[in-house]
Amino acid sequence: MSLDRFYPIFDSAAWLDRLVPLGIKLVQLRIKDTPAPMLRREIRQAKAICAAHDCTLVINDHWQIALEEGCDFIHLGQEDLDTADLSAIRDAGARLGVSTHDKVELARALDLRPEYIALGPIYPTILKKMKWHEQGLDRLRDWRDLVEQTPLVAIGGMSVARAAGAFDAGADSVAAVTDITLHANPEGRIADWLRATR
């Protein structure tokens, strides 16, 4: 599988509605702590937006609702792997992306033959508290060798200025969150990202 080089992550369908039409071709919807009915509405809306703009939608965590809504690409963190029904995900024909932070997690992820493996945080991140310190570009280069042909996503503290270094270190795609959502001009930032990754 070939991943788009730009992989933004948003926490609402409203962000997708605002920014996907600008040219985004791969996007993740990552919503936390939301009641199921609202979550289902968000996923349904995100799916419609992406379908209208030829954009691949990846749903973070909520694999059951994602499958029920006909989504075909799911991202799971390591803790989510403990509880997800991976057979059900495979039987539904859904693709899988997996987060990794150390070599134990990487070995577990590779056994699942995912569509991509994400490594993070490459740089310090303000998005959430994590027990892992920044991985850095050297670790990203190590992952490039270890994942072999599996597409590799760099995530955590990524910015337009840092993207080139991640690609040079072997990333196939770069994920970004706050570099866009906290920017004074998110639409302009998307344009910057598209120029840097096309």
Side-chain angles (χ1 to χ4, degrees), residues 54-124:
D54 191 28
C55 177
T56 299
L57 174 65
V58 182
I59 301 296
N60 185 291
D61 290 356
H62 306 290
W63 62 272
Q64 290 166 302
I65 296 177
L67 295 184
E68 290 167 4
E69 293 298 324
C71 298
D72 63 359
F73 209 150
I74 293 163
H75 179 96
L76 295 176
Q78 292 286 323
E79 293 178 354
D80 304 307
L81 287 175
D82 294 337
T83 57
D85 186 340
L86 297 173
S87 295
I89 293 171
R90 292 294 188 201
D91 290 347
R95 295 168 286 175
L96 183 64
V98 179
S99 294
T100 66
H101 307 89
D102 60 33
K103 289 185 178 178
V104 173
E105 294 182 355
L106 177 60
R108 183 187 193 193
L110 286 171
D111 283 344
L112 299 173
R113 298 182 177 276
E115 294 296 319
Y116 70 80
I117 284 176
L119 173 67
I122 303 302
Y123 293 97

